[in-house]
């Protein structure tokens, strides 16, 4: 009797465990390698990052969204694009479906499908005729060889709008100022040459012997508010540029705008003294011990290198600007003492408007 009771309890436990498994949703990620039409809907055959193939079924009630901007999700559901990266929430044990090559995959119904990436084959051609695929993701665009590694990824440019620094944002400018600041940065455009960096990445890949684990180049540009007061707002353009595969450097340029009119303020007008005296004072505060390095800094100095933060001033000399330095270098000075003395009162972040 006890054995029959235990057997019955075990059977109940197994049924409950199976029901829990069937009701549990799990996420499947992969690249679309084949699209099939099935009596229940559209079957996407996915290849995972481990090389395994599985299938997801898009039904009438499957919700389709996208992390990639500009994707028409209704059109994607009707005609899924091959080699796109997707994530699907699936339940159940699934059923077997035969693919085009005669092999079978397990297919599970998808409650939702999210588009993670869109691949455009042959979107760009290098100088020697080599074609590259473009892969659009949520925050970056990747350029890859069709059957090879990533050559370069480009972080999507953003700003000056829709960016906050924790204190203020572009939205705090007057409508007129917003219009003029946007026009300024639209005219500035990208400060790196995408095609040129791709050619450099291709040359580096070939010089390295075309390794499968090539780390790729990285480029990007972002614009954000760095400091402000009641009179003006400083914006920083920060560039990410490749030094070599997997190694990057950062360059930053600053610009000041009247927060009411949007007028660009000449960076030298921010100082109460002539440019030569401003440069000398700033470099003295930086305390470079090497006189030769001080002379190099004076020769390379540009007011666009100054980044006016809310609490202090940063200056950064990018790689290549100082002959004696292999890498870029910079320093930070707080707004006090000699530095505050050579800055206009209305130019100091956090200060009230000039009377």
């Amino acid at each position: 009797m006890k054995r029959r009771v235990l057997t019955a309890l075990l059977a109940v436990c197994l049924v409950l465990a199976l029901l829990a498994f069937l009701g549990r949703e799990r996420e499947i990620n992969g690249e679309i390698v084949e699209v099939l039409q099935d009596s229940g809907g559209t079957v996407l055959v996915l290849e995972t990052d481990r090389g395994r193939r599985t299938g997801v079924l898009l039904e009438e009630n499957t919700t389709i969204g996208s992390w990639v901007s500009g994707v028409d999700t209704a059109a994607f559901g009707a005609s899924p694009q091959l080699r796109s990266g997707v994530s699907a929430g699936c339940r159940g044990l699934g059923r077997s479906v035969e693919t085009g090559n005669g092999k079978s995959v397990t297919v599970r119904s998808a409650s939702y499908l999210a588009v993670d990436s869109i691949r455009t084959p042959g979107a760009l051609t290098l100088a020697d005729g080599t074609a590259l695929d473009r892969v659009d993701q949520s925050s970056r665009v990747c350029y890859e060889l069709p059957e090879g590694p990533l050559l370069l990824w480009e972080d999507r440019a953003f700003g000056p709008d829709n960016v906050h620094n924790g204190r203020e944002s572009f939205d705090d400018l007057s409508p007129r100022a917003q219009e003029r600041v946007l026009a300024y940065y639209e005219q500035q455009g990208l400060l790196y040459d995408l095609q040129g960096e791709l050619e450099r990445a291709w040359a580096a890949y070939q010089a390295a012997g075309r390794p499968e684990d090539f780390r790729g180049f990285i480029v990007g540009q972002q614009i954000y508010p760095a400091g402000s007061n009641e009179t003006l707002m400083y914006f920083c353009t920060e560039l990410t540029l490749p030094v070599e595969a997997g190694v990057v450097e950062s360059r930053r340029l600053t610009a000041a705008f009247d927060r009411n009119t949007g007028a660009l303020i000449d960076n030298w007008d921010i100082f109460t003294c002539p440019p030569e005296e401003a440069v000398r004072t700033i470099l003295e505060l930086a305390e470079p011990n090497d006189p030769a390095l001080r002379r190099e800094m004076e020769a390379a100095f540009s007011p666009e290198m100054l980044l006016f933060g809310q609490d202090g001033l940063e200056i950064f000399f990018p790689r290549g600007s100082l002959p004696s330095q292999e890498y870029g270098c910079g320093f930070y000075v707080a707004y006090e003492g000699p530095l505050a003395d050579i800055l206009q009162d209305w130019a100091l972040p956090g200060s009230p408007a000039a009377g």
Side-chain angles (χ1 to χ4, degrees):
M1 174 68 82
K2 289 183 179 179
R3 181 175 297 177
R4 286 199 295 270
V5 171
L6 289 175
T7 302
L9 287 174
L10 179 59
V12 170
C13 290
L14 288 174
V15 169
L16 292 175
L18 179 59
L19 290 174
F21 175 80
L22 292 174
R24 186 182 65 190
E25 187 170 80
R26 63 173 178 146
E27 187 170 89
I28 299 175
N29 304 283
E31 186 178 90
I32 302 173
V33 294
E34 190 174 354
V35 179
L36 306 170
Q37 293 304 317
D38 182 81
S39 58
T42 301
V43 173
L44 307 182
V45 181
L46 307 183
E47 183 169 288
T48 68
D49 56 3
R50 296 183 178 181
R52 179 173 170 270
R53 294 200 172 190
T54 188
V56 299
L57 176 65
L58 303 185
E59 301 173 307
E60 286 187 7
N61 61 347
T62 300
T63 301
I64 301 178
S66 177
W67 294 108
V68 183
S69 62
V71 174
D72 184 332
T73 54
F76 188 91
S79 181
Q81 190 170 330
L82 288 175
R83 300 200 67 187
S84 297
V86 297
S87 305
C90 300
R91 286 192 179 94
L93 293 173
R95 57 187 173 85
S96 180
V97 171
E98 187 175 306
T99 64
N101 61 6
K103 295 184 178 180
S104 296
V105 296
T106 300
V107 175
R108 297 175 175 84
S109 297
S111 62
Y112 71 85
L113 182 84
V115 180
D116 300 322
S117 66
I118 294 289
R119 180 182 293 269
T120 306
L124 190 144
T125 303
L126 298 175
D128 64 0
T130 301
L132 299 179
D133 291 355
R134 170 178 171 140
V135 182
D136 286 83
Q137 300 175 356
S138 61
S139 61
R140 67 181 55 160
V141 179
C142 298
Y143 294 89
E144 305 176 357
L145 294 166
E147 300 300 332
L150 167 77
L151 281 188
L152 178 147
W153 91 47
E154 178 184 28
D155 289 326
R156 291 190 184 276
F158 63 82
D161 52 337
N162 301 316
V163 180
H164 296 257
N165 69 353
R167 300 186 183 186
E168 288 196 282
S169 73
F170 175 85
D171 296 335
D172 295 312
L173 298 174
S174 72
R176 173 58 177 153
Q178 291 182 26
E179 180 182 340
R180 295 181 70 176
V181 171
L182 274 179
Y184 173 86
Y185 283 111
E186 286 174 1
Q187 183 176 9
Q188 172 183 271
L190 290 178
L191 300 180
Y192 58 86
D193 177 7
L194 177 61
Q195 182 74 31
E197 297 298 349
L198 282 167
E199 298 288 352
R200 285 185 59 222
W202 174 234
Y205 171 66
Q206 295 182 94
R210 304 192 177 198
E212 293 183 1
D213 59 350
F214 185 70
R215 298 180 65 187
F217 279 24
I218 304 171
V219 297
Q221 178 171 311
Q222 55 183 337
I223 303 165
Y224 54 85
S228 64
N229 59 30
E230 294 179 9
T231 303
L232 53 73
M233 187 174 290
Y234 294 98
F235 283 88
C236 173
T237 300
E238 184 168 351
L239 291 171
T240 300
L241 299 171
V243 176
E244 57 187 57
V247 180
V248 300
E249 65 172 328
S250 177
R251 296 187 180 183
R252 292 180 294 182
L253 302 172
T254 189
F257 300 89
D258 185 292
R259 63 185 300 136
N260 292 315
T261 68
L264 178 68
I265 300 171
D266 188 296
N267 283 354
W268 289 124
D269 290 344
I270 291 169
F271 296 94
T272 60
C273 59
E276 297 79 9
E277 182 181 342
V279 172
R280 185 169 59 252
T281 301
I282 291 171
L283 294 181
E284 285 175 355
L285 293 172
E287 298 181 353
N289 297 320
D290 186 347
L293 178 58
R294 173 82 67 88
R295 289 192 293 271
E296 289 180 3
M297 288 182 170
E298 289 178 354
F301 191 95
S302 167
E304 289 77 21
M305 295 176 177
L306 299 173
L307 178 62
F308 291 85
Q310 202 67 20
D311 302 310
L313 174 69
E314 294 180 52
I315 180 170
F316 188 81
F317 293 90
R319 178 174 170 269
S321 62
L322 303 175
S324 65
Q325 304 299 304
E326 182 179 359
Y327 304 104
C329 65
F331 52 84
Y332 171 88
V333 181
Y335 294 132
E336 56 187 27
L339 178 58
D341 292 341
I342 63 169
L343 291 171
Q344 301 283 359
D345 290 340
W346 51 262
L348 280 167
S351 69

